[in-house]
Amino acid sequence: MAAQYSISGTTASTIAASVERAVTEGDLGPGDALPPVRRLADDLSVSPGTVATAYKELRGRGLVVTRGRGGTIVAAAPSVASRRPPKVPQGLRDLAGGHPDPAFLPDPVPPGRLSAGVRSHRATPRLPELEETVRAWIGGAGVPAEHVTFAHGALDCVGRLLSTDLRPGDAVAMEDPGYHHLLDLVQALGLRSVAVAVDDEGMRPEALEAAVRAGVRAVVCSPRAQNPYGGAFSAARRDALVAVLQRAPDVLVIENDHAADIAGAPLHSLASGGLARWAHLRTVTKFLGTDLRWAAASCDPTTLARHDGRLLLTSGWISHLLQRTVLGLMTDTDTTALVTRARSAYGERRKALVTALASHGVAAHGVSGMNVWVPVRDESAVVNGLRSRGWWVAAGARFRLSSAPGVRITTADLLPADAVRLASDFAGVLGESETTYGG
């Protein structure tokens, strides 16, 4: 607790540095309370305004959050220390990681040599061949693909887009439940997450409408393979969401199609709806290799210019070695066939678990992607109960803002026969303590 750590300093910057040091060194952990402003001011013999300024600086950098009468606490994922998932206990079947089945990942062969000479690629940051491949890849699904760019993965791209368009304190509409690393990233940038409820068709229009009315400056969503819920936009849902967003032309819409080729659902993209500010992102980590930290994005001209301007000032470009590796895989017929088999297998495995759970009266969600979301009342009871039976699943707390509890189960390498056994064990855990299940 905060009382066990002595915060020091006589200025706002030194007080903030003291708290940051405590968080970095582990003396203050996620959820620990900081002293009330006036109490700390008295302890340090400084004005309340000095402490308030220090806390504001810490909030702006994503280290702490203030919850009204609940006071100021260390953020769940402070920007100086990432929130790592718990290690998988030895001997358990890992269904918590969200990773693809290694059997469906190709063996990439990097280019044989580095680029000739010692020179900058800032003038030509993208390989023309890969750029054209990306235009066909994204544009073939109906997304405008005139303006494309690359990034070091989806999170890198989202972070750059948000940091160039928004300022600390601005609000972002986020899926709830949603991808925990995105939730953490928004917080680390000093932005505020506004929860938008999801269902099997993705973001709910009335919830997005409420977020827009609340003044969000950006929206981050997934059109399919929504993580962790597994939702996918239908054509009707896409149209309803576009109608909401067209009434807010200044809102930046970031669409993260992270599992495009293995999502198992057609793409109904918001980017095809004539929005003013938008970016459609795609990555290859789920079907070409988890170590290929590369993403492509198609954007409106203003968004593209802001992204590339910031990229130019930081890393400058995405490694041409990486680009050539991705290009080789994307244009390889054997790899294309392997990805097709992966998409089919992931769909069968996901559906097998949903069906097996339903046979025991357990409702679950997962119409696309590699994960299944199961609502429960007590996440810890279910996670620990399944652990005792040899399974390791992800508690939903990491993915939730204000939505009801649940657990996420990754089905990428869960064969149908194993799904039947897991569903039986899941029902057994619920039967041992009926109060743990939310129905």
Side-chain angles (χ1 to χ4, degrees):
M1 297 298 293
Q4 297 173 329
Y5 177 81
S6 178
I7 298 173
S8 61
T10 57
T11 66
S13 60
T14 57
I15 294 170
S18 175
V19 174
E20 180 173 354
R21 184 165 56 252
V23 174
T24 301
E25 296 175 355
D27 295 311
L28 287 174
D32 283 350
L34 271 60
V37 169
R38 291 191 178 276
R39 183 198 303 169
L40 184 57
D42 290 341
D43 291 343
L44 300 179
S45 298
V46 299
S47 72
T50 298
V51 175
T53 300
Y55 283 10
K56 181 179 180 181
E57 179 181 339
L58 292 166
R59 284 196 301 274
R61 291 194 289 112
L63 272 76
V64 304
V65 293
T66 298
R67 296 180 173 174
R69 293 184 179 180
T72 299
I73 63 173
V74 177
S79 58
V80 294
S82 62
R83 175 170 52 173
R84 303 291 183 182
K87 291 184 178 181
V88 181
Q90 188 173 4
L92 298 188
R93 177 73 180 276
D94 181 14
L95 302 176
H99 304 304
D101 185 344
F104 290 116
L105 297 179
D107 295 322
V109 180
R113 63 184 181 86
L114 298 174
S115 300
V118 180
R119 60 189 177 87
S120 169
H121 287 297
R122 280 181 166 82
T124 55
R126 296 181 291 277
L127 293 178
E129 310 97 303
L130 182 55
E131 193 168 356
E132 288 307 308
T133 298
V134 165
R135 292 185 197 281
W137 183 36
I138 293 179
V143 178
E146 180 181 359
H147 306 284
V148 300
T149 190
F150 302 159
H152 300 282
L155 289 170
D156 173 68
C157 191
V158 172
R160 192 173 295 111
L161 290 170
L162 292 177
S163 63
T164 55
D165 250 71
L166 280 64
R167 295 295 177 267
D170 285 345
V172 182
M174 301 293 293
E175 296 167 328
D176 185 23
Y179 183 40
H180 58 97
H181 286 310
L182 279 174
L183 298 176
D184 294 346
L185 175 62
V186 167
Q187 178 180 283
L189 293 173
L191 305 172
R192 295 184 294 110
S193 291
V194 175
V196 177
V198 301
D199 58 24
D200 289 335
E201 295 183 71
M203 277 188 163
R204 293 167 55 181
E206 69 278 9
L208 180 60
E209 177 77 43
V212 169
R213 289 180 177 176
V216 297
R217 294 283 312 283
V219 176
V220 181
C221 62
S222 298
R224 51 186 172 176
Q226 195 275 342
N227 189 356
Y229 207 87
F233 291 164
S234 64
R237 175 61 57 84
R238 184 267 318 276
D239 292 345
L241 295 173
V242 166
V244 172
L245 295 167
Q246 285 180 334
R247 296 192 290 271
D250 293 332
V251 172
L252 172 63
V253 178
I254 302 174
E255 188 174 62
N256 181 18
D257 193 19
H258 64 96
D261 287 27
I262 49 86
L267 175 66
H268 298 289
S269 172
L270 300 178
S272 63
L275 303 178
R277 297 293 316 284
W278 59 274
H280 176 86
L281 278 57
R282 290 195 181 182
T283 58
V284 297
T285 55
K286 297 299 185 185
F287 54 92
L288 295 185
T290 54
D291 208 30
L292 294 177
R293 311 310 298 175
W294 174 87
S298 181
C299 319
D300 69 85
T302 298
T303 299
L304 181 92
R306 292 179 180 179
H307 174 276
D308 283 5
R310 182 63 60 87
L311 179 65
L312 183 68
L313 296 173
T314 52
S315 61
W317 67 91
I318 310 305
S319 164
H320 280 205
L321 285 172
L322 175 59
Q323 291 188 48
R324 290 195 181 280
T325 300
V326 171
L327 176 63
L329 290 171
M330 292 185 73
T331 55
D332 178 67
T333 55
D334 289 341
T335 298
T336 300
L338 182 62
V339 172
T340 299
R341 293 198 298 273
R343 178 170 60 248
S344 176
Y346 291 153
E348 291 174 359
R349 294 170 186 182
R350 184 185 66 252
K351 293 173 184 176
L353 180 59
V354 172
T355 300
L357 288 169
S359 71
H360 292 278
V362 179
H365 303 275
V367 299
S368 61
M370 302 188 300
N371 299 296
V372 168
W373 178 260
V374 188
V376 298
R377 286 183 182 168
D378 188 330
E379 294 174 359
S380 295
V382 172
V383 169
N384 290 329
L386 289 175
R387 175 179 179 174
S388 69
R389 296 172 184 244
W391 307 100
W392 186 246
V393 302
R398 299 170 60 215
F399 306 91
R400 297 187 292 108
L401 292 170
S402 58
S403 56
V407 296
R408 189 193 74 171
I409 303 173
T410 299
T411 57
D413 63 351
L414 185 70
L415 298 179
D418 293 332
V420 171
R421 183 165 60 88
L422 171 59
S424 176
D425 287 343
F426 202 113
V429 169
L430 299 180
E432 291 170 359
S433 177
E434 293 183 358
T435 60
T436 66
Y437 183 50

